[in-house]
Amino acid sequence: MFEVAVAIIVFIALLLLGVPVAFSVIAGTVVGLFAIGSLPMEALALQSFGGATDYSMLAIPFFILTADLLFSGRLGAQVIGLATRVVGRFRGGVGMTSVLTNAVFAGVSGSAVADATGLGKVMIPWTKKLGYPARYAAAVNASSSVLGVIIPPSIPMILFSAASGASVAAVFNAGLIPGIVMAAALMFGCWFLAFKNNYPRVRAKLTMKKLLIDLLIATPAIFIPVILIRVFLFTGTATVTEVSILAAVYALLIRTTMYRDLTWKSFMRSVTESAASTAVVMVLIMFSAALSWLLTIQEAPQKLASALLSQTDSTALIILFIVIILIITGMFLDMAPAILLLTPVLLPLASAIGMGTVQLGILMVCTLAMGLYTPPVGTTLYISAGIGRVGINKVTRELLLFYVLIIAFVLIIAYAPGLMLIPTS
């Protein structure tokens, strides 16, 4: 355990000094291996590349490309228009529109950062223009964009499945109801804040004709999670990688045949940006796999589980301990490295108390997602505050209600997964 402690100390120290996460991880791993002394460095390279060779990892670039192709076209504006007509008349309807739009595109992108950036550039200025304060617009966008990692397809869920050996289809299926419940909780938060502060309403006229037109135009985005994922993936007709390729081809055909707004220049931009985003994720996967290997050969997860179980036999306390670890980790690490690092550590502990692998995966994704809009390293928080040109402190204060709602949501997943239809075995 001494070698593992040295590796983690080096990793945390470099992280605090501002070294990028991936390089902090690999530096800590190298130092840990030197401390062991009996393992060749060639093994480190093999383990790093081994972490990136899982077949399901091929789904990541195609889901990112699908999101970019659809975000950059007319479809985004049409989905926003549809959401506005449905909930815009209510108090806090502008915030609810942002939540609904993120929920729809969550079934496309699988990435909270993509949603926070792509939709934030549209939703935040529009919300401010309608008389809502910038802090409200940024807070809603920062929190609702994490639906992109909870409602399938979800890149963090793919990473968890690769790290734990769980079925991608099973984890995706279990994430659907929690995603819907989380969206409902965020919409309640939008309404409560708007009601409390007497924010204005949007006069969006709802007629059956306009609603049907909006639905017709927005249907292509809805087809991806409903048809491609629910039918092809969950029936076993196609693997998650094959579904991701079908989704990308589908998005390309929609842009070229239905909307006819895809130019060669915009297509190449989407491909280039998707490749860059994929490269960042894959480097994290490779280096995190090396550290996970170090933890495994030193039996750190098993020792942690044994130490904790020897201190208490209360399942409730151990579950609370897992939740606290996830909340704190999410505040400092992005989701990809957090999942890849914590899954081998928490999996033996979860097994010891009878928590199913799929439940652990959903708990990890939903709890770590909160870290995306929590200081000090909240990615969607900083993106949204930057777009809204408002201070982080103001946005964080506006987020307090959302923190309370999501913590309650996480505790339900932890202690009463049956209410979310999450399998417990």
Side-chain angles (χ1 to χ4, degrees):
M1 285 293 286
F2 169 75
E3 295 84 357
V4 171
V6 169
I8 292 175
I9 290 171
V10 171
F11 162 63
I12 294 174
L14 292 175
L15 202 62
L16 293 175
L17 289 172
V19 177
V21 175
F23 298 109
S24 300
V25 169
I26 196 63
T29 305
V30 169
V31 172
L33 287 176
F34 271 120
I36 295 175
S38 59
L39 293 173
M41 283 296 136
E42 289 83 354
L44 178 64
L46 289 173
Q47 293 299 324
S48 296
F49 282 103
T53 56
D54 191 287
Y55 177 68
S56 62
M57 295 296 177
L58 286 173
I60 294 174
F62 289 104
F63 278 135
I64 294 175
L65 178 60
T66 301
D68 200 285
L69 285 172
L70 293 180
F71 271 143
S72 58
R74 290 171 47 205
L75 183 57
Q78 295 296 337
V79 171
I80 292 171
L82 172 63
T84 302
R85 294 191 191 284
V86 173
V87 297
R89 306 182 317 279
F90 302 110
R91 182 75 68 182
V94 174
M96 295 180 189
T97 298
S98 182
V99 174
L100 277 181
T101 306
N102 273 286
V104 171
F105 277 111
V108 178
S109 69
S111 168
V113 174
D115 289 357
T117 306
L119 289 177
K121 290 178 180 177
V122 178
M123 295 301 304
I124 293 175
W126 179 65
T127 304
K128 290 167 61 179
K129 185 178 179 180
L130 293 173
Y132 284 71
R135 64 180 185 275
Y136 177 84
V140 172
N141 186 72
S143 56
S144 61
S145 60
V146 303
L147 291 169
V149 299
I150 298 174
I151 298 177
S154 162
I155 292 173
M157 287 182 184
I158 295 173
L159 298 179
F160 172 81
S161 299
S164 66
S167 163
V168 175
V171 180
F172 274 12
N173 195 39
L176 185 60
I177 298 300
I180 294 172
V181 172
M182 181 176 175
L186 292 173
M187 289 178 70
F188 171 78
C190 293
W191 170 83
F192 184 85
L193 287 176
F195 176 79
K196 176 184 175 184
N197 297 296
N198 196 30
Y199 292 150
R201 300 186 186 188
V202 177
R203 301 301 177 185
K205 189 175 181 181
L206 179 64
T207 65
M208 186 57 65
K209 180 180 178 180
K210 291 182 177 179
L211 180 61
L212 288 175
I213 292 173
D214 284 339
L215 272 174
L216 180 64
I217 297 176
T219 295
I222 302 171
F223 268 172
I224 290 180
V226 173
I227 302 298
L228 291 178
I229 296 170
R230 300 294 297 178
V231 175
F232 285 95
L233 181 59
F234 296 153
T235 59
T237 307
T239 65
V240 64
T241 303
E242 293 164 346
V243 167
S244 69
I245 296 171
L246 287 173
V249 172
Y250 174 82
L252 184 61
L253 291 175
I254 287 296
R255 288 289 303 277
T256 54
T257 60
M258 181 174 178
Y259 295 103
R260 298 181 181 180
D261 62 345
L262 183 66
T263 64
W264 178 253
K265 182 179 179 180
S266 62
F267 173 70
M268 291 306 298
R269 182 197 57 78
S270 294
V271 171
T272 302
E273 292 186 1
S274 299
S277 299
T278 302
V280 173
V281 175
M282 295 309 292
V283 169
L284 282 171
I285 291 170
M286 291 172 60
F287 291 167
S288 298
L291 182 56
S292 297
W293 170 66
L294 175 63
L295 295 176
T296 301
I297 61 176
Q298 293 297 104
E299 298 185 343
Q302 293 82 353
K303 292 175 181 176
L304 174 64
S306 299
L308 186 60
L309 291 170
S310 66
Q311 297 298 317
T312 178
D313 57 358
S314 172
T315 300
L317 284 178
I318 295 173
I319 291 175
L320 183 62
F321 174 75
I322 292 174
V323 171
I324 292 172
I325 286 179
L326 292 171
I327 290 175
I328 294 174
T329 303
M331 292 171 62
F332 295 95
L333 277 183
D334 283 334
M335 288 191 71
I339 287 174
L340 294 167
L341 294 174
L342 287 179
T343 298
V345 174
L346 296 180
L347 199 56
L349 187 57
S351 299
I353 60 174
M355 179 184 289
T357 303
V358 172
Q359 183 190 355
L360 175 65
I362 300 302
L363 179 62
M364 288 183 68
V365 170
C366 293
T367 310
L368 290 170
M370 189 169 64
L372 291 173
Y373 56 92
T374 305
V377 194
T379 310
T380 65
L381 172 61
Y382 283 98
I383 290 172
S384 301
I387 295 173
R389 297 182 180 180
V390 59
I392 297 295
N393 292 338
K394 291 182 179 179
V395 181
T396 303
R397 284 196 294 270
E398 196 80 359
L399 279 165
L400 290 177
L401 174 61
F402 295 105
Y403 292 139
V404 172
L405 291 171
I406 300 308
I407 288 175
F409 163 75
V410 164
L411 291 176
I412 292 174
I413 294 174
Y415 291 104
L419 295 178
M420 302 278 187
L421 302 183
I422 300 173
T424 55
S425 59

